[in-house]
Amino acid sequence: MPEAYRSQFNAKNVRFSMRDHLMMIEVDNDYAQATITTHGASVLSYVPKNQPDGAQDLLWVSSSAVFNGQKAVRGGIPVCWPWFGKAKSAGLPAHGFVRNLVWHLDHVADLESGVTEVVLICDADEHTLAIWPHQFHLQLRIEIGEKLILSLTTTNLNDHDLEITEALHTYFNVADPRGLVIHGLEGSTHLDKLNEQAPAEIQQEPVMLHPPMDSVYLNQSGDVILDDSGHQRRILIENRQTTSAVVWNPGPEIVKGFDDIPDDGWLQFACVESGNVLNNAVIVPAEQKHTFSVMLSALPV
């Protein structure tokens, strides 16, 4: 498979390889190094070259992650679509189905700016129609430069409207998630998913992560900043056309239920996810498109 793409795409900053059963797209340009897999169109690594603390990856991938194609790789930036969280129907996978499909590599290019552009696409087929009976075209455009930019575009190919929820489930590599301060969620509506009986509350202060934590922030807009002081950086999340954020870390007990996260793996990451979830569902009109974008970068403390 890599040989076919090498002949099709002539980008000097890109190479193709295999890891176990998954194809990897490896980017190394003047701005950053990055790794993407066509399985789930997941970005697995992004290391900007202008960081204050050297070559620290912005993203985390579990040392126990599997690359056999049977499940999504644990870590990086999985794509949750066309639903986020539990499916409405029993027996369907959580967080949708596209994160465990092999996407088609549609386009690779070294732009004049020095940025490398990678475009992956996913279309409805017999398998997806059996799970979700709607025609669609899904595109993820990834730009690797001073910032990592991901733009997810849903095209509704039906003669009826589509309701979707969606998110980029980003696992950030942080020095220590305990007490991690997250700015930019103030004013949103906080839902504590670990305590479904807790009432919804307006978030008044910056969020301090105390694992275990699984919190949804609805009606959220604007930039989000993680104070990753142990790595001498702040992680900036710039969102476009998103109305929700999710903060998740399983903590020391819940993590034991994951066979693809080591028992101490929870100490290495914080998930801060961007998208449109729960009551912030998106309606895509018939034969129309919807795009949301996330831009990630590292800033000095």
Side-chain angles (χ1 to χ4, degrees), residues 1-259:
M1 187 182 300
E3 288 71 22
Y5 283 123
R6 287 190 192 101
S7 62
Q8 182 178 358
F9 301 110
N10 184 24
K12 66 181 180 65
N13 294 323
V14 179
R15 62 184 296 270
F16 303 96
S17 64
M18 296 294 295
R19 179 168 180 181
D20 199 353
H21 290 77
L22 306 189
M23 195 185 84
M24 299 291 156
I25 305 163
E26 300 173 18
V27 176
D28 188 352
N29 60 30
D30 291 340
Y31 297 114
Q33 295 177 321
T35 302
I36 304 158
T37 178
T38 54
H39 186 87
S42 185
V43 181
L44 300 179
S45 175
Y46 172 71
V47 184
K49 296 182 177 179
N50 64 344
Q51 288 190 95
D53 193 29
Q56 284 286 346
D57 208 318
L58 236 64
L59 307 178
W60 176 87
V61 171
S62 172
S63 60
S64 302
V66 295
F67 294 80
N68 60 12
Q70 300 302 307
K71 60 191 296 187
V73 176
R74 176 66 64 182
I77 311 179
V79 178
C80 302
W81 189 97
W83 61 80
F84 177 85
K86 293 181 181 179
K88 293 182 179 179
S89 301
L92 296 181
H95 295 321
F97 51 82
V98 300
R99 65 181 181 146
N100 203 30
L101 296 179
V102 176
W103 293 43
H104 173 69
L105 180 58
D106 183 65
H107 177 74
V108 175
D110 294 322
L111 306 182
E112 290 185 6
S113 62
V115 170
T116 303
E117 181 182 69
V118 177
V119 178
L120 297 125
I121 59 174
C122 180
D123 290 290
D125 59 19
E126 291 183 2
H127 170 72
T128 69
L129 289 170
I131 299 173
W132 193 63
H134 305 286
Q135 295 286 347
F136 67 86
H137 175 75
L138 196 59
Q139 179 196 79
L140 182 67
R141 181 180 302 275
I142 305 165
E143 299 170 64
I144 299 99
E146 287 185 311
K147 299 180 180 182
L148 175 65
I149 305 175
L150 296 91
S151 300
L152 185 67
T153 299
T154 300
T155 302
N156 181 358
L157 299 178
N158 304 277
D159 59 4
H160 56 266
D161 295 351
L162 283 181
E163 179 178 304
I164 60 171
T165 55
E166 56 188 353
L168 294 174
H169 195 305
T170 308
Y171 290 74
F172 288 105
N173 166 38
V174 297
D176 192 339
R178 295 169 297 184
L180 180 76
V181 178
I182 304 168
H183 305 269
L185 304 179
E186 300 91 327
S188 63
T189 301
H190 173 218
L191 303 177
D192 184 352
K193 304 305 288 182
L194 293 181
N195 182 7
E196 297 283 4
Q197 304 305 314
E201 297 180 336
I202 300 300
Q203 183 66 35
Q204 301 291 343
E205 305 290 339
V207 171
M208 184 172 290
L209 177 53
H210 292 294
M213 186 170 178
D214 187 0
S215 290
V216 176
Y217 299 87
L218 299 176
N219 307 321
Q220 186 276 333
S221 61
D223 299 345
V224 176
I225 296 176
L226 284 63
D227 283 339
D228 186 19
S229 56
H231 288 150
Q232 300 178 36
R233 67 184 179 186
R234 293 175 296 156
I235 298 174
L236 173 62
I237 308 170
E238 299 172 85
N239 298 311
R240 300 292 182 270
Q241 302 302 315
T242 69
T243 53
S244 314
V246 181
V247 177
W248 178 72
N249 182 291
E253 295 303 321
I254 296 175
V255 73
K256 296 176 182 177
F258 291 85
D259 58 7

